[in-house]
Amino acid sequence: TFTVSVKSPVSVQRGHTAILPCWLTFSESAEDMEVLWYQGSDQFGTPVLLYKARTLDYSSQKASYAGRASFGLKEETSGGLKAGDVSLKLENVTIEDAGKYICVVSSFDDSDSASISLTVTETGHQPLLSAVMRDDNKVNLSCQSDGWHPKPELSWSDSKTALIPGNVMFSKNSAGFYSVHSWVLVSSPSEVSCSVGLFNEEPKETRMRLENSLEIYNGCISWNYLLKFYFY
């Protein structure tokens, strides 16, 4: 008997190579076993990778993984199949590759499986800020950023504290990338920042400084607003 172990979750940037670690306990050899990898939604369909009779069988492989799926090493010192390492290597990872993967290992008289969650990330664009002046000496600031995966986190802050946005909205295009849009009301003068980023990654930040000055022209008093942008 043997047990299949995995290390989950796995996160990789789109276009890079992902290693989904899967191995047999006690470093038992998997050379004479059958190894099957499939996505969670394709449990009884076409496999991502199939190894049997000591060779890789590509005859039934899912077309979208052709030329991209093979065995990898869970660590550089791993002994590969001889040491029970049946990790899956995915090259040129796409957004569609994200999801749950099942690693199934079978011998003549035993079988075991385990699942791994793969997250595919894409860092979006620098947040864009725009301002609309209101009659009550407040400014409606909008923040938008496109090209993210998965859904990013958006936050507002000024020089002192976090700001509560009026709304945060997400949309998804046909390629699977997310856009986020939000707005907040602030008083002038002030310095406000909008940060957008993925969990556990450094966010992208844009700051806007609102400055105003008093002018008298032909006996009329008017406020002029100056907007300055800073990117981080």
Side-chain angles (χ1 to χ4, degrees), residues 33-102:
M33 298 184 182
E34 180 175 302
V35 181
L36 173 65
W37 277 96
Y38 60 86
Q39 271 192 313
S41 58
D42 293 328
Q43 181 174 358
F44 302 105
T46 52
V48 174
L49 190 69
L50 174 61
Y51 171 86
K52 63 180 181 179
R54 285 180 163 259
T55 187
L56 288 171
D57 183 356
Y58 297 107
S59 61
S60 60
Q61 185 182 44
K62 193 172 182 178
S64 60
Y65 291 96
R68 299 194 299 122
S70 61
F71 281 128
L73 300 179
K74 63 185 178 70
E75 53 192 24
E76 292 183 0
T77 58
S78 170
L81 287 174
K82 290 182 179 181
D85 187 352
V86 294
S87 301
L88 176 65
K89 179 181 179 180
L90 289 180
E91 299 181 66
N92 193 22
V93 172
T94 68
I95 296 298
E96 291 76 17
D97 292 338
K100 185 174 72 171
Y101 287 77
I102 312 296

Side-chain angles (χ1 to χ4, degrees), residues 17-180:
T17 297
I19 299 294
L20 279 60
C22 181
W23 66 94
L24 304 182
T25 54
F26 309 116
S27 300
E28 182 176 357
S29 175
E31 289 183 303
D32 294 321
M33 298 184 182
E34 180 175 302
V35 181
L36 173 65
W37 277 96
Y38 60 86
Q39 271 192 313
S41 58
D42 293 328
Q43 181 174 358
F44 302 105
T46 52
V48 174
L49 190 69
L50 174 61
Y51 171 86
K52 63 180 181 179
R54 285 180 163 259
T55 187
L56 288 171
D57 183 356
Y58 297 107
S59 61
S60 60
Q61 185 182 44
K62 193 172 182 178
S64 60
Y65 291 96
R68 299 194 299 122
S70 61
F71 281 128
L73 300 179
K74 63 185 178 70
E75 53 192 24
E76 292 183 0
T77 58
S78 170
L81 287 174
K82 290 182 179 181
D85 187 352
V86 294
S87 301
L88 176 65
K89 179 181 179 180
L90 289 180
E91 299 181 66
N92 193 22
V93 172
T94 68
I95 296 298
E96 291 76 17
D97 292 338
K100 185 174 72 171
Y101 287 77
I102 312 296
C103 174
V104 183
V105 182
S106 304
S107 65
F108 180 77
D109 54 5
D110 196 14
S111 178
D112 194 24
S113 65
S115 63
I116 298 180
S117 176
L118 174 64
T119 300
V120 181
T121 66
E122 177 69 10
T123 301
H125 302 140
Q126 189 76 30
L128 296 177
L129 294 182
S130 59
V132 176
M133 309 304 172
R134 302 195 349 164
D135 296 334
D136 56 0
N137 197 36
K138 288 186 178 295
V139 181
N140 187 335
L141 288 182
S142 294
C143 177
Q144 180 166 334
S145 184
D146 307 318
W148 296 88
H149 192 276
K151 280 185 179 180
E153 299 176 350
L154 183 147
S155 62
W156 289 94
S157 64
D158 58 20
S159 56
K160 299 178 181 179
T161 184
L163 301 176
I164 299 177
N167 202 354
V168 178
M169 297 174 292
F170 295 93
S171 60
K172 188 178 182 181
N173 64 19
S174 58
F177 298 112
Y178 288 92
S179 296
V180 59

